[in-house]
Amino acid sequence: MVRRIEVTGSGGVRLAAWEFAESPKAGGGRYGGMAGGRAVGRGAGCGAGHGRGRNGAQASGGGVLLLHGLLGRAAHWAETARWLSARYRTVALDQRGHGRSGKPVSGPYAREAYVADAEAAVEQLGLAPVTLIGHAMGALTAWQLAARRPDLVRALVICDMRASALGAATQREWSEWLGSWPVPFATLADVRKWFGEDDPTLERPAPARGDFYAEVMSERADGWRPLFFRRQMLQAREGYAHDAHWEELAQVECPALVVRGLDGALGRAEAQEMVRVLPRGRYAEIPDAGHLAHYDQPDGWRRVAEPFLEASVPA
């Protein structure tokens, strides 16, 4: 079961948050029997704290806030949220410009706005001391919030996000790629096929990628189009295409897990350097996973994330 909650973000932007109840009966996952992973590193545990549970009761350990990546939406965390919700109050946020949240024409879509939105969600929903779990851009938002407001954050999970600047050339590549989408798509099957098979940037078929992008489409009069606007997405990406974020990573005081897929965007050397820079960092990798590690390899993702959470955030 999922419940939508309205949050007021920075500058009054309306944000949609989704609170997940306990998981359905066992065996309901999208991808059964996927390969697992391993987690190694240093540091565990942190200060005690309390937050409100699903029915208003006091729950030890605060809550969990899930932050999707660029082009994503809260629904991409559904499987993760369901197993987490058996132990913690779990909320996934549609970040500004994404999903069912507001998409102000004039923005802003700068890093500061995304961090302020996440801070507002934590405070308005009573999730502190919160465990932040982020993928890609959402992971950057998570560690920036952890660095700026250590009083709010109990633990942090970073999934496939680099701390170094990606470079101006990647902005041009992304602009060209977004412009190559054959929108509108006639059917959701066409969405799945293009992103899972026909996209020229693909090295090999990726059915889970097709599913991922099907979830960010909305049916219009002329067919299926994205829930976001290309210009706003490129604006949101500016903050990490051109800037590095090592200093903020070093300011994260809580236990932090850096997770990468072996075929993802985050290389092993940079991931391990991120762990070294983090005061209480740990490292994990998921075999057979790409950039969408938490989505296309949910079993492997759970095998590396769950032990870290159980050690760092008692239920």
Side-chain angles (χ1 to χ4, degrees):
M1 186 179 76
V2 63
R3 178 170 68 101
R4 177 171 171 170
I5 310 170
E6 295 294 325
V7 173
T8 302
S10 175
V13 173
R14 178 192 55 78
L15 303 173
W18 308 85
E19 184 170 6
F20 287 78
E22 293 183 7
S23 61
K25 293 181 180 179
R30 286 185 304 116
Y31 304 105
M34 286 290 188
R38 57 189 177 87
V40 296
R42 65 181 189 275
C46 52
H50 301 277
R52 292 288 171 183
R54 282 185 295 275
N55 297 317
Q58 196 77 359
S60 174
V64 175
L65 183 65
L66 299 161
L67 298 169
H68 61 76
L70 189 72
L71 312 186
R73 65 181 305 187
H76 287 142
W77 288 113
E79 287 192 48
T80 296
R82 287 178 180 127
W83 60 259
L84 281 171
S85 67
R87 292 172 57 89
Y88 315 103
R89 183 184 178 201
T90 304
V91 178
L93 182 69
D94 277 339
Q95 297 182 79
R96 65 172 57 209
H98 297 77
R100 298 301 178 186
S101 285
K103 302 167 179 65
V105 174
S106 59
Y109 293 96
R111 286 279 80 227
E112 291 75 13
Y114 283 99
V115 177
D117 287 347
E119 180 180 0
V122 171
E123 293 186 324
Q124 291 173 33
L125 298 176
L127 297 175
V130 70
T131 297
L132 298 174
I133 301 177
H135 171 248
M137 182 192 75
L140 175 56
T141 300
W143 89 60
Q144 288 184 305
L145 178 56
R148 299 178 193 188
R149 291 293 309 272
D151 57 306
L152 289 183
V153 184
R154 180 163 189 155
L156 169 68
V157 180
I158 297 166
C159 182
D160 214 63
M161 181 61 189
R162 299 174 59 186
S164 58
L166 304 184
T170 66
Q171 280 295 87
R172 293 192 297 272
E173 292 167 1
W174 263 71
S175 180
E176 292 171 0
W177 178 63
L178 289 170
S180 75
W181 293 13
V183 291
F185 293 92
T187 68
L188 279 180
D190 291 334
V191 174
R192 293 187 174 94
K193 186 175 186 300
W194 195 84
F195 287 100
E197 300 177 24
D198 298 340
D199 182 347
T201 65
L202 276 177
E203 294 182 359
R204 56 182 178 274
R209 187 174 184 264
D211 292 338
F212 181 94
Y213 283 101
E215 291 197 49
V216 298
M217 298 291 165
S218 177
E219 190 173 19
R220 314 285 178 83
D222 60 349
W224 293 83
R225 293 180 176 272
L227 285 166
F228 48 78
F229 298 104
R230 172 185 169 187
R231 180 178 59 84
Q232 294 175 353
M233 296 300 96
L234 290 171
Q235 289 176 349
R237 198 175 183 274
E238 287 280 339
Y240 55 95
H242 300 292
D243 301 323
H245 298 281
W246 291 98
E247 290 185 8
E248 289 162 304
L249 198 69
Q251 295 167 9
V252 174
E253 299 176 359
C254 65
L257 177 67
V258 177
V259 181
R260 62 179 291 268
L262 291 189
D263 295 322
L266 176 61
R268 179 179 284 130
E270 183 168 353
Q272 292 178 342
E273 179 63 12
M274 289 170 65
V275 171
R276 188 192 69 78
V277 167
L278 283 160
R280 303 172 72 182
R282 302 179 69 183
Y283 173 75
E285 58 185 37
I286 305 173
D288 303 318
H291 179 58
L292 307 177
H294 66 298
Y295 189 85
D296 65 18
Q297 295 285 359
D299 291 347
W301 160 251
R302 181 171 181 174
R303 288 192 182 107
V304 300
E306 191 169 37
F308 168 79
L309 295 172
E310 289 179 349
S312 303
V313 190

